Amino acid sequence: MRKMLLAVAAAVVIALPGAALAQAPIVIKFSHVVASDTPKGKGADKFKELAEKYTNGKVKIEVYPNSTLYKDKEELEALQLGAVQMLAPSNSKFGPIGIKEFEVFDLPYIIPTLAGLRKVTDGEIGKRLLKLLDSKGMTGLAYWDNGFKQMTANKPLHVPADYKGLKFRIQSSKVLEAQFRALGAVPQVMAFSEVYQALQTGVVDGQENTPSNIYTQKMHEVQKYMTMTNHGYIGYVVVVNKKFWDGLPADIRGELEKAMVEATAFANGQSAKENEEALEEIKKAGKTQFIIPTAEETLQMRAAMEPIYKDMASRVSQKLIDEVTAASGGGAGH
Ligand code: LMR
């Protein structure tokens, strides 16, 4: 009897951790670099809400906003190493890990409208680009919008000559580097979390970003001028660690995919509004003077940037540039 009791006790001891483990939720760490109150931040929070609901709490999504866990470059490395499971880096951030094709979205004026963008991302081109992520140990799940970039500096920017010699913070993209060089400016790659301080201390003179990013990082408090150039687009690819994703039970993965489809519709349905509201807040703060470029000034900007399309063709692929311009209706020369 004593022997039997001991055996039962041992079985319980052995079984317990397993039982406890079976109850423990699968944790997905979702790291990102922007504030919660932005298109991406809201998308991440919506995904958390839906994913936890659809899996009945079997999955727990931990969202780490505002570079609290990792900065731009580190977060991609962390994902590949499995230290986090989910990210939504901007298209411009995939070059350094060897996927240069996403820089096609950085070409100035290539995405004229969100409707044009959808024709690219929702169609065959978008699917093909996501497939490229597989070879880097990632699975691309969705495209999320931010919006259109505006230029800021402490001097008024109208035409290319105004950019000459100014230092501009850029994301880690060779196309963005070429863009500022074409304007006669000096581009400097910098993590998003460092931009405010770099502008404040004069390490750089200006930067390009969407109103929601400018407002939530308070960049407008240290930049006197904002030119409404709408010259480029910032959007994101939601990526997961491929091994982790493929290893999930199929039913759980299915629920997460459903949550992602809905979170994407939610995020993309309100990104434009988020940026309009941020613009209003920047105006209200009264620290920034707005410049609306004239048609002639815009023509000059487009003309200065048009050669980048040829210069970057060997990096990004001429075929891809042609396909994206055809689908989006954009291009510098339009
Ligand atoms: C930036 O680095 O300027 C932005 O792409 C950050 C972001 O994720 O929106």
Side-chain angles (χ1 to χ4, degrees), residues 145-159:
D145 289 340
N146 187 330
F148 293 94
K149 290 185 284 188
Q150 319 301 338
M151 297 283 197
T152 70
N154 278 323
K155 64 170 273 202
L157 301 169
H158 291 271
V159 292

Side-chain angles (χ1 to χ4, degrees), residues 33-34 40 90 93 146 169 171 192 209 213 234 236:
V33 300
V34 295
K40 175 161 62 180
S90 71
K93 308 238 164 101
N146 187 330
R169 176 268 171 171
Q171 303 185 69
F192 183 65
N209 230 307
N213 275 348
I234 293 187
Y236 310 108

